[in-house]
Amino acid sequence: MEKLLCFRLCLFTFSLQCFIFYLALSGTNFTTDKFALLALKSSITKDPYHFLSRSWSVSSSVCNWVGVTCDANHRRIRTLNLGNMGLSGTIPSQLGNLTFLIELDLGGNNFHDQLPKELVQLRRLKSLNLSYNEFSGNVPTWIGGLSALQYLYLGNNKFGGFNPKSLSNLTMLEILDWNDNLIQGTIPPEVGKMTHMRLLSMASNSLSGTIPPSISNLSSLERISLSYNSLSGNVFC
């Protein structure tokens, strides 16, 4: 009854806000995903190959947009792959509303500025690739909230600050790569809790102190790269 009343009111007032409310009342979250991507599009300052300007049209289904893959059942966005498209711009907070996302690849572009804290809402995310951009600011402490992550690529940016202790929450992580940044301080011993780790790469930063013995707990480790820092000690794996 409430939904019917709201719909009739929309027809009477021609109110866009009321229509959006009707969609929300109906349990439709598809528009949330579309608005999130439109916010991203509006934050893009350069799209040299016209990938987004030609494909991301409000008149077409978001599931047909370039770089987008949707879930067949719920029609929610599952992967967003915009890697190596020459894009420039910033990441809007609305991107955190893509709560069904399992893969986000923005690598090999010219995105800059800090990452919005709203990205911590991507609880289903398994792969995050932000490498080879111009992101800055401290490595976000909220990164540990993405507990489903298996692959994390933050290399070749301008991230600074310290390794957050919240890394220990990423117990499913297999690849951690944040080479060539400006990260300081020590390697937290909590890294030893990430027992699924196969690749650990923190080379070319400003790390110092002793390599924590807890790294020897990483029984699945296949490769480790800590060169071009000011670290001391040995790695026993």
Side-chain angles (χ1 to χ4, degrees), residues 10 13 21 31 36 43 46 53 62 70 78 125 138 143-144 155 165 174 196 227 233:
C10 286
T13 62
F21 176 72
T31 53
S43 71
K46 185 180 292 186
S53 60
V62 67
C70 292
R78 298 291 276 170
L125 203 63
N138 293 344
I143 200 75
K165 291 185 178 180
E174 298 181 25
H196 291 277
S227 58

Short mmCIF file of all heavy atoms in Angstrom, two decimals, residues 10 13 21 31 36 43 46 53 62 70 78 125 138 143-144 155 165 174 196 227 233:
data_model
loop_
_atom_site.label_atom_id
_atom_site.label_comp_id
_atom_site.label_asym_id
_atom_site.label_seq_id
_atom_site.Cartn_x
_atom_site.Cartn_y
_atom_site.Cartn_z
N CYS A 10 4.31 10.23 -7.19
CA CYS A 10 5.34 10.57 -8.17
C CYS A 10 4.71 11.00 -9.49
O CYS A 10 5.14 11.97 -10.12
CB CYS A 10 6.26 9.37 -8.44
SG CYS A 10 7.44 9.03 -7.12
N THR A 13 3.23 14.59 -9.02
CA THR A 13 4.14 15.72 -8.80
C THR A 13 5.31 15.76 -9.77
O THR A 13 6.01 16.76 -9.84
CB THR A 13 4.73 15.66 -7.37
OG1 THR A 13 5.48 14.45 -7.24
CG2 THR A 13 3.62 15.70 -6.34
N PHE A 21 13.03 7.73 -4.41
CA PHE A 21 12.58 7.15 -3.14
C PHE A 21 11.73 5.91 -3.38
O PHE A 21 11.82 4.92 -2.65
CB PHE A 21 11.81 8.19 -2.34
CG PHE A 21 11.22 7.64 -1.06
CD1 PHE A 21 12.04 7.33 0.01
CD2 PHE A 21 9.85 7.43 -0.94
CE1 PHE A 21 11.50 6.82 1.18
CE2 PHE A 21 9.32 6.92 0.22
CZ PHE A 21 10.14 6.61 1.28
N THR A 31 20.16 1.36 -9.05
CA THR A 31 20.43 2.77 -9.29
C THR A 31 21.60 3.27 -8.45
O THR A 31 22.32 4.17 -8.86
CB THR A 31 19.19 3.63 -9.00
OG1 THR A 31 18.72 3.33 -7.68
CG2 THR A 31 18.09 3.35 -10.00
N ALA A 36 26.92 5.70 -8.52
CA ALA A 36 28.32 5.63 -8.07
C ALA A 36 29.28 5.78 -9.26
O ALA A 36 30.27 6.51 -9.18
CB ALA A 36 28.58 4.32 -7.34
N SER A 43 34.23 12.82 -11.96
CA SER A 43 35.50 13.19 -11.33
C SER A 43 36.70 12.96 -12.25
O SER A 43 37.83 13.27 -11.89
CB SER A 43 35.70 12.40 -10.03
OG SER A 43 35.97 11.03 -10.31
N LYS A 46 40.39 13.67 -17.48
CA LYS A 46 40.98 13.35 -18.78
C LYS A 46 40.63 11.91 -19.14
O LYS A 46 40.86 10.98 -18.36
CB LYS A 46 42.50 13.53 -18.75
CG LYS A 46 43.19 13.33 -20.10
CD LYS A 46 44.69 13.52 -20.00
CE LYS A 46 45.03 14.97 -19.71
NZ LYS A 46 46.51 15.19 -19.74
N SER A 53 33.46 8.43 -22.00
CA SER A 53 32.57 9.42 -22.61
C SER A 53 31.67 8.79 -23.67
O SER A 53 30.54 9.24 -23.88
CB SER A 53 33.40 10.56 -23.23
OG SER A 53 34.28 10.06 -24.22
N VAL A 62 23.96 -0.03 -17.17
CA VAL A 62 25.31 0.05 -16.61
C VAL A 62 26.08 -1.24 -16.85
O VAL A 62 27.31 -1.23 -16.96
CB VAL A 62 25.22 0.37 -15.09
CG1 VAL A 62 24.62 -0.78 -14.32
CG2 VAL A 62 26.60 0.71 -14.53
N CYS A 70 28.52 -7.32 -14.42
CA CYS A 70 27.45 -7.42 -13.42
C CYS A 70 27.18 -8.86 -13.05
O CYS A 70 27.44 -9.80 -13.82
CB CYS A 70 26.16 -6.79 -13.94
SG CYS A 70 26.24 -5.00 -14.15
N ARG A 78 29.90 -6.40 -10.19
CA ARG A 78 30.82 -7.30 -9.51
C ARG A 78 32.28 -6.95 -9.77
O ARG A 78 33.12 -7.11 -8.90
CB ARG A 78 30.55 -8.75 -9.94
CG ARG A 78 29.17 -9.25 -9.59
CD ARG A 78 29.02 -9.42 -8.09
NE ARG A 78 29.54 -10.71 -7.65
CZ ARG A 78 29.70 -11.04 -6.38
NH1 ARG A 78 29.41 -10.17 -5.43
NH2 ARG A 78 30.15 -12.23 -6.03
N LEU A 125 35.28 -7.16 -1.48
CA LEU A 125 36.39 -6.98 -2.40
C LEU A 125 37.50 -8.02 -2.16
O LEU A 125 37.98 -8.18 -1.04
CB LEU A 125 36.96 -5.57 -2.25
CG LEU A 125 37.73 -5.00 -3.44
CD1 LEU A 125 36.81 -4.85 -4.64
CD2 LEU A 125 38.33 -3.65 -3.07
N ASN A 138 48.69 9.19 3.50
CA ASN A 138 49.16 8.02 4.24
C ASN A 138 48.46 6.74 3.76
O ASN A 138 47.33 6.79 3.28
CB ASN A 138 48.89 8.19 5.73
CG ASN A 138 49.73 9.31 6.33
OD1 ASN A 138 50.71 9.77 5.75
ND2 ASN A 138 49.33 9.76 7.51
N ILE A 143 42.36 0.15 5.59
CA ILE A 143 42.60 -0.94 4.63
C ILE A 143 42.37 -2.31 5.28
O ILE A 143 41.96 -3.26 4.63
CB ILE A 143 44.03 -0.83 4.05
CG1 ILE A 143 44.13 -1.60 2.73
CG2 ILE A 143 45.08 -1.30 5.04
CD1 ILE A 143 43.51 -0.92 1.56
N GLY A 144 42.61 -2.38 6.59
CA GLY A 144 42.39 -3.64 7.30
C GLY A 144 40.94 -4.04 7.40
O GLY A 144 40.63 -5.19 7.75
N GLY A 155 51.50 -0.38 -5.44
CA GLY A 155 52.84 0.03 -5.83
C GLY A 155 52.87 1.18 -6.80
O GLY A 155 51.91 1.46 -7.52
N LYS A 165 48.92 -1.20 11.45
CA LYS A 165 48.82 -2.48 12.15
C LYS A 165 47.57 -3.26 11.74
O LYS A 165 47.49 -4.47 11.94
CB LYS A 165 48.82 -2.25 13.67
CG LYS A 165 50.15 -1.76 14.21
CD LYS A 165 50.13 -1.67 15.72
CE LYS A 165 51.48 -1.22 16.26
NZ LYS A 165 51.48 -1.14 17.75
N GLU A 174 47.05 -12.90 -0.27
CA GLU A 174 48.06 -13.72 -0.91
C GLU A 174 49.16 -12.87 -1.54
O GLU A 174 50.31 -13.29 -1.62
CB GLU A 174 47.43 -14.61 -1.98
CG GLU A 174 46.41 -15.61 -1.43
CD GLU A 174 45.84 -16.49 -2.52
OE1 GLU A 174 46.51 -16.68 -3.55
OE2 GLU A 174 44.71 -17.00 -2.33
N HIS A 196 48.58 -16.82 4.41
CA HIS A 196 48.32 -17.20 3.02
C HIS A 196 49.24 -16.44 2.05
O HIS A 196 49.17 -16.68 0.84
CB HIS A 196 46.86 -16.91 2.65
CG HIS A 196 45.87 -17.78 3.34
ND1 HIS A 196 45.55 -19.05 2.89
CD2 HIS A 196 45.13 -17.59 4.46
CE1 HIS A 196 44.65 -19.59 3.69
NE2 HIS A 196 44.39 -18.72 4.65
N SER A 227 64.14 -4.75 -0.72
CA SER A 227 65.34 -4.00 -1.06
C SER A 227 65.07 -2.50 -1.15
O SER A 227 63.92 -2.06 -1.24
CB SER A 227 65.92 -4.51 -2.38
OG SER A 227 64.96 -4.40 -3.41
N GLY A 233 68.70 -7.08 9.66
CA GLY A 233 68.23 -8.40 10.06
C GLY A 233 68.12 -9.33 8.87
O GLY A 233 68.42 -8.95 7.71
#
